[in-house]
Amino acid sequence: MFTKILVSIDHSDMTQHVVDEAVSLAKATGGSLMFLHIISPLDEPYFDSLFMQPTVLYTELHSEAHKKNLSDWEKYKQDKENWLRSLCESATSSGVKTEFTLNIGNPTSRICDIASAWDASVIVIGRRGRRGFTELLLGSVSNYVIHHAPCSVLTVQGTNISTTEASQNQQAETSN
């Protein structure tokens, strides 16, 4: 039975759908949730300490830039924590025991590592529906997790990109 449900979420359009599915699963099984968000080096804005190293020529300028970068980083991180906290409060108010964690790194390996460390019985993760060349170029976090997770994985399918584009084109044509 799924008692510990790790819910890997990003800040995409399908996040609420993934959360809703995870909450439904937790209610059905009596399980608890852990919302997981990974801040990735590929996300914007990402604050890399490598670029905050002092230079000999512009130490004063660097010091100010460093302070601003650290301040921006703290605000960014706090915004993500507040977002996760609000998701937790919403799930908890519907009767599900919930917690959250915010991590930094490569989402693919971090999700699997956290699932293992937390002893998750299932990972719930969204899948955007990319296929073929697009998936090859952009990668697929869900595909990696499916093949490397230490537990079961439930993928929540998003709308197919080509289906979404066709629907938007059809709506644009009918409104003209």
Side-chain angles (χ1 to χ4, degrees):
M1 199 46 90
F2 299 132
T3 56
K4 295 179 87 176
I5 304 165
L6 181 67
V7 187
S8 176
I9 51 177
D10 55 12
H11 219 124
S12 70
D13 294 341
M14 70 178 297
T15 297
Q16 192 57 53
H17 184 56
V18 172
V19 169
D20 293 344
E21 292 293 323
V23 169
S24 294
L25 180 62
K27 284 181 177 180
T29 62
S32 62
L33 299 176
M34 177 188 284
F35 291 120
L36 166 65
H37 179 68
I38 310 286
I39 298 173
S40 168
L42 302 177
D43 288 343
E44 288 293 327
Y46 182 80
F47 305 91
D48 191 344
S49 60
L50 177 65
F51 297 111
M52 294 193 283
Q53 300 302 317
T55 62
V56 176
L57 299 175
Y58 303 103
T59 55
E60 184 68 30
L61 178 61
H62 175 75
S63 178
E64 290 304 313
H66 183 70
K67 286 178 190 173
K68 177 164 181 4
N69 216 355
L70 286 176
S71 172
D72 290 348
W73 165 250
E74 288 303 318
K75 182 181 179 335
Y76 181 75
K77 200 168 98 175
Q78 189 61 51
D79 289 346
K80 294 295 183 184
E81 286 175 359
N82 291 340
W83 170 65
L84 287 167
R85 191 170 289 108
S86 71
L87 290 174
C88 272
E89 289 169 359
S90 176
T92 301
S93 70
S94 66
V96 177
K97 182 181 174 195
T98 312
E99 59 186 293
F100 73 88
T101 183
L102 178 65
N103 283 254
I104 301 168
N106 178 357
T108 56
S109 59
R110 293 296 299 149
I111 292 166
C112 293
D113 292 345
I114 291 165
S116 181
W118 191 58
D119 198 26
S121 22
V122 65
I123 299 170
V124 178
I125 189 168
R127 183 176 188 284
R128 290 189 177 91
R130 292 189 178 110
R131 289 179 177 41
F133 194 64
T134 306
E135 184 178 15
L136 179 67
L137 282 178
L138 298 175
S140 173
V141 173
S142 59
N143 188 41
Y144 179 93
V145 171
I146 288 168
H147 289 93
H148 296 89
C151 58
S152 297
V153 178
L154 171 64
T155 56
V156 178
Q157 181 66 43
T159 51
N160 189 314
I161 292 171
S162 61
T163 305
T164 303
E165 289 171 356
S167 174
Q168 288 172 347
N169 290 339
Q170 186 178 18
Q171 287 175 353
E173 289 173 6
T174 58
S175 66
N176 289 331

